[in-house]
Amino acid sequence: MTAAHLDGSATIPRESTTDILRRIEAAHGTYATRTALAFDADGTLWEGDVGVDLFEAFLAGRFARPEAEAALRREAEAFGVAAEGGAHEIASALYAAFNAERYPEDRAFAMMAWAFAGWREDELAALVDRVLEEKGHAGRIRPALLPILDWARSRGVPVYVVSASPRAVIERAVARLGVAPERIAAMTPAVREGRIAPELGAPATYGEGKTRALERIFPELAVLAAFGDSAYDAALLRTARVPVAVSPSPKLLAVADLIPGLVLLAT
């Protein structure tokens, strides 16, 4: 085991997959109730962000439809983003503002889900498949986490994925890892008369919203271990007996001392 420095004064233990599995196995033996593993998706289960990949393909193809325009314009006006042009131009301006840190992450990630307003779900699924293939998603999955997923399967411990990316892309991205749709919480747009609507159909899965979403789909909420890479995963990590940072962002490292028992997976 080694220790990684955070800010010059705090450290976080860096452990191998084997070390972390030992921690999980030991903790598992102390529970009388049903337990689960909880994972963030982007940057954690795999390198990169499939939600961003999908939205950038959406913008590159100029795929925004008129059904999204009014909601996009309201969003832009609420955050002082210039709202010139139609749906495509406004979505592009919002994305630029997000990258410039002038548009909050929670709102941006929700927008990236409902901006597909007017699309049928099968149309979106086809785009998702194309993007995952073009981005080589299968090759971006983190090998260091595969033994942990195998351990969960062998012990009958369910795996839940809680993500701020659109549900459509997360469902298909985690399917190859054996995670069933009912064990996924992600940004989920409303659907009306077979088409995506310009609003969320379920609460946002960001920050504390991740823990609330996990409580809804796993009510007993005995989280054996949780894995995340971002500061907005901190609440999820704090629910776990074994909280694990995976390739953590600087913002997560900055709040690491607020997550008791946090360890860093050596990837």
Side-chain angles (χ1 to χ4, degrees):
M1 182 200 308
T2 61
H5 289 276
L6 303 182
D7 58 8
S9 59
T11 59
I12 177 172
R14 184 191 301 270
E15 299 190 355
S16 69
T17 300
T18 300
D19 293 331
I20 288 172
L21 268 173
R22 288 195 189 103
R23 284 181 180 268
I24 293 171
E25 182 73 63
H28 185 238
T30 68
Y31 278 98
T33 58
R34 187 164 174 256
T35 62
L37 302 186
F39 289 82
D40 169 54
D42 301 302
T44 300
L45 282 169
W46 48 75
E47 297 180 23
D49 189 312
V50 296
V52 166
D53 292 340
L54 177 65
F55 197 71
E56 289 182 346
F58 173 75
L59 294 178
R62 302 182 67 89
F63 291 148
R65 295 182 179 175
E67 290 90 336
E69 182 175 338
L72 288 167
R73 191 177 303 281
R74 286 193 298 271
E75 194 77 355
E77 290 173 352
F79 292 95
V81 177
E84 301 297 328
H88 168 73
E89 288 76 20
I90 302 169
S92 297
L94 285 167
Y95 187 59
F98 161 70
N99 284 324
E101 299 186 348
R102 294 186 292 105
Y103 180 36
E105 285 183 334
D106 58 337
R107 297 293 290 256
F109 294 147
M111 180 275 293
M112 291 180 198
W114 58 252
F116 286 88
W119 285 54
R120 297 191 315 272
E121 291 177 284
D122 63 324
E123 291 179 296
L124 179 53
L127 178 61
V128 165
D129 287 343
R130 193 195 89 194
V131 169
L132 292 177
E133 180 66 25
E134 289 177 351
K135 293 294 183 177
H137 175 68
R140 293 159 64 178
I141 293 170
R142 294 193 188 277
L145 290 174
L146 295 179
I148 295 171
L149 294 170
D150 289 341
W151 176 90
R153 277 189 289 271
S154 71
R155 299 298 192 281
V157 174
V159 169
Y160 289 80
V161 174
V162 190
S163 173
S165 282
R167 183 179 184 91
V169 70
I170 294 301
E171 279 195 10
R172 300 176 95 79
V174 302
R176 66 181 65 246
L177 297 174
V179 180
E182 62 268 21
R183 291 180 178 166
I184 297 167
M187 292 292 190
T188 305
V191 177
R192 298 194 186 95
E193 297 180 354
R195 293 188 182 269
I196 294 169
E199 63 186 35
L200 291 184
T205 46
Y206 180 93
E208 295 286 350
K210 286 195 168 191
T211 63
R212 290 191 290 270
L214 187 57
E215 288 168 357
R216 285 192 296 273
I217 60 176
F218 181 40
E220 53 267 48
L221 198 66
V223 181
L224 180 58
F227 301 76
D229 74 304
S230 301
Y232 59 86
D233 293 323
L236 179 66
L237 292 169
R238 282 193 291 267
T239 67
R241 180 73 64 87
V242 182
V244 183
V246 182
S247 190
S249 69
K251 290 181 180 179
L252 177 57
L253 292 177
V255 299
D257 59 346
L258 302 178
I259 306 170
L262 183 69
V263 296
L264 173 63
L265 175 65
T267 55

